[in-house]
Short mmCIF file of all heavy atoms in Angstrom, two decimals:
data_model
loop_
_atom_site.label_atom_id
_atom_site.label_comp_id
_atom_site.label_asym_id
_atom_site.label_seq_id
_atom_site.Cartn_x
_atom_site.Cartn_y
_atom_site.Cartn_z
N VAL A 1422 9.47 -30.23 -5.92
CA VAL A 1422 8.48 -29.69 -6.82
C VAL A 1422 7.75 -28.51 -6.25
O VAL A 1422 7.49 -27.49 -6.86
CB VAL A 1422 7.45 -30.81 -7.24
CG1 VAL A 1422 6.28 -30.19 -8.02
CG2 VAL A 1422 8.14 -31.86 -8.11
N ILE A 1423 7.42 -28.64 -4.91
CA ILE A 1423 6.76 -27.57 -4.20
C ILE A 1423 7.65 -26.36 -4.10
O ILE A 1423 7.18 -25.16 -4.39
CB ILE A 1423 6.39 -28.02 -2.81
CG1 ILE A 1423 5.24 -29.07 -2.90
CG2 ILE A 1423 5.92 -26.85 -1.94
CD1 ILE A 1423 4.90 -29.68 -1.58
N ILE A 1424 8.89 -26.43 -3.89
CA ILE A 1424 9.88 -25.36 -3.84
C ILE A 1424 9.94 -24.70 -5.21
O ILE A 1424 9.86 -23.51 -5.33
CB ILE A 1424 11.28 -25.83 -3.39
CG1 ILE A 1424 11.13 -26.19 -1.85
CG2 ILE A 1424 12.28 -24.76 -3.60
CD1 ILE A 1424 12.44 -26.84 -1.31
N MET A 1425 10.07 -25.45 -6.28
CA MET A 1425 10.11 -24.87 -7.64
C MET A 1425 8.92 -24.07 -7.99
O MET A 1425 8.95 -23.03 -8.50
CB MET A 1425 10.40 -25.99 -8.69
CG MET A 1425 11.79 -26.57 -8.64
SD MET A 1425 13.03 -25.37 -8.97
CE MET A 1425 12.79 -25.16 -10.68
N LEU A 1426 7.70 -24.67 -7.66
CA LEU A 1426 6.47 -23.99 -7.95
C LEU A 1426 6.35 -22.67 -7.12
O LEU A 1426 5.95 -21.67 -7.65
CB LEU A 1426 5.26 -24.87 -7.67
CG LEU A 1426 5.04 -26.00 -8.64
CD1 LEU A 1426 3.92 -26.88 -8.16
CD2 LEU A 1426 4.76 -25.47 -10.05
N SER A 1427 6.82 -22.71 -5.90
CA SER A 1427 6.82 -21.48 -5.09
C SER A 1427 7.68 -20.43 -5.65
O SER A 1427 7.32 -19.22 -5.69
CB SER A 1427 7.25 -21.76 -3.66
OG SER A 1427 6.36 -22.76 -3.02
N LEU A 1428 8.83 -20.79 -6.08
CA LEU A 1428 9.80 -19.85 -6.72
C LEU A 1428 9.23 -19.27 -8.01
O LEU A 1428 9.36 -18.06 -8.21
CB LEU A 1428 11.13 -20.44 -6.98
CG LEU A 1428 12.03 -20.84 -5.81
CD1 LEU A 1428 13.20 -21.62 -6.18
CD2 LEU A 1428 12.42 -19.54 -5.08
N LEU A 1429 8.66 -20.07 -8.81
CA LEU A 1429 8.04 -19.54 -10.02
C LEU A 1429 6.87 -18.62 -9.75
O LEU A 1429 6.74 -17.56 -10.45
CB LEU A 1429 7.56 -20.66 -10.95
CG LEU A 1429 8.54 -21.60 -11.64
CD1 LEU A 1429 7.98 -22.75 -12.21
CD2 LEU A 1429 9.31 -20.69 -12.65
N LEU A 1430 6.10 -18.92 -8.75
CA LEU A 1430 4.98 -18.02 -8.34
C LEU A 1430 5.48 -16.69 -7.82
O LEU A 1430 4.97 -15.64 -8.29
CB LEU A 1430 4.12 -18.70 -7.28
CG LEU A 1430 2.90 -17.91 -6.80
CD1 LEU A 1430 1.93 -17.63 -7.92
CD2 LEU A 1430 2.27 -18.57 -5.63
N MET A 1431 6.53 -16.70 -7.06
CA MET A 1431 7.17 -15.43 -6.53
C MET A 1431 7.69 -14.60 -7.65
O MET A 1431 7.55 -13.38 -7.67
CB MET A 1431 8.23 -15.75 -5.47
CG MET A 1431 7.60 -16.12 -4.13
SD MET A 1431 8.90 -16.28 -2.84
CE MET A 1431 10.02 -17.53 -3.43
N VAL A 1432 8.37 -15.20 -8.60
CA VAL A 1432 8.91 -14.44 -9.74
C VAL A 1432 7.75 -13.86 -10.59
O VAL A 1432 7.87 -12.66 -10.93
CB VAL A 1432 9.86 -15.36 -10.63
CG1 VAL A 1432 10.14 -14.64 -11.87
CG2 VAL A 1432 11.03 -15.73 -9.81
N GLY A 1433 6.71 -14.59 -10.80
CA GLY A 1433 5.58 -14.13 -11.62
C GLY A 1433 4.92 -12.95 -10.95
O GLY A 1433 4.56 -11.98 -11.58
N VAL A 1434 4.74 -13.00 -9.65
CA VAL A 1434 4.02 -11.97 -8.90
C VAL A 1434 4.90 -10.73 -8.81
O VAL A 1434 4.45 -9.57 -9.04
CB VAL A 1434 3.61 -12.47 -7.51
CG1 VAL A 1434 3.18 -11.29 -6.67
CG2 VAL A 1434 2.55 -13.51 -7.57
N SER A 1435 6.19 -10.87 -8.59
CA SER A 1435 7.03 -9.70 -8.32
C SER A 1435 7.34 -8.98 -9.67
O SER A 1435 7.57 -7.80 -9.69
CB SER A 1435 8.36 -10.15 -7.79
OG SER A 1435 9.05 -11.01 -8.64
N SER A 1436 7.23 -9.68 -10.82
CA SER A 1436 7.56 -9.05 -12.10
C SER A 1436 6.29 -8.27 -12.59
O SER A 1436 6.38 -7.54 -13.58
CB SER A 1436 7.97 -10.07 -13.11
OG SER A 1436 6.83 -10.94 -13.43
N SER A 1437 5.12 -8.33 -11.95
CA SER A 1437 3.98 -7.62 -12.42
C SER A 1437 3.94 -6.21 -11.82
O SER A 1437 3.04 -5.49 -12.26
CB SER A 1437 2.69 -8.37 -12.03
OG SER A 1437 2.63 -8.45 -10.64
N ALA A 1438 4.76 -5.79 -11.00
CA ALA A 1438 4.76 -4.50 -10.41
C ALA A 1438 6.10 -3.74 -10.77
O ALA A 1438 7.18 -4.27 -10.51
CB ALA A 1438 4.59 -4.49 -8.89
N TYR A 1439 6.04 -2.62 -11.42
CA TYR A 1439 7.23 -1.86 -11.85
C TYR A 1439 7.08 -0.48 -11.23
O TYR A 1439 6.12 0.19 -11.24
CB TYR A 1439 7.28 -1.75 -13.33
CG TYR A 1439 7.43 -3.10 -14.06
CD1 TYR A 1439 6.34 -3.70 -14.65
CD2 TYR A 1439 8.67 -3.67 -14.07
CE1 TYR A 1439 6.45 -4.88 -15.30
CE2 TYR A 1439 8.80 -4.98 -14.71
CZ TYR A 1439 7.70 -5.48 -15.32
OH TYR A 1439 7.82 -6.74 -15.91
N ALA A 1440 8.21 -0.03 -10.71
CA ALA A 1440 8.42 1.32 -10.20
C ALA A 1440 8.62 2.31 -11.34
O ALA A 1440 9.27 1.95 -12.29
CB ALA A 1440 9.45 1.40 -9.14
N HIS A 1441 8.21 3.52 -11.14
CA HIS A 1441 8.52 4.55 -12.10
C HIS A 1441 8.64 5.84 -11.43
O HIS A 1441 8.09 5.99 -10.34
CB HIS A 1441 7.44 4.67 -13.17
CG HIS A 1441 6.09 4.90 -12.73
ND1 HIS A 1441 5.32 3.90 -12.24
CD2 HIS A 1441 5.42 6.07 -12.54
CE1 HIS A 1441 4.18 4.42 -11.89
NE2 HIS A 1441 4.22 5.72 -11.98
N PRO A 1442 9.46 6.74 -11.89
CA PRO A 1442 9.76 8.01 -11.25
C PRO A 1442 8.62 8.98 -11.42
O PRO A 1442 7.78 8.86 -12.25
CB PRO A 1442 10.99 8.59 -12.04
CG PRO A 1442 10.88 7.98 -13.33
CD PRO A 1442 10.26 6.63 -13.13
N GLY A 1443 8.49 9.99 -10.50
CA GLY A 1443 7.54 11.04 -10.54
C GLY A 1443 7.04 11.37 -9.17
O GLY A 1443 6.70 10.48 -8.39
N ARG A 1444 6.91 12.67 -8.98
CA ARG A 1444 6.40 13.13 -7.64
C ARG A 1444 4.84 13.08 -7.70
O ARG A 1444 4.26 13.11 -8.79
CB ARG A 1444 6.87 14.53 -7.35
CG ARG A 1444 8.34 14.54 -7.14
CD ARG A 1444 8.89 15.94 -6.84
NE ARG A 1444 10.23 15.97 -6.65
CZ ARG A 1444 10.85 16.31 -5.52
NH1 ARG A 1444 10.16 16.61 -4.45
NH2 ARG A 1444 12.12 16.28 -5.49
N LEU A 1445 4.28 13.15 -6.50
CA LEU A 1445 2.87 13.06 -6.40
C LEU A 1445 2.23 14.48 -6.15
O LEU A 1445 2.85 15.31 -5.42
CB LEU A 1445 2.41 12.17 -5.31
CG LEU A 1445 2.93 10.71 -5.38
CD1 LEU A 1445 2.45 9.93 -4.17
CD2 LEU A 1445 2.50 10.06 -6.66
#
């Protein structure tokens, strides 16, 4: 259960950041 919850948390956090192209 702990492993499953950890995996779900990692997926949720990683999907909240998206890269996009463009120079600064």
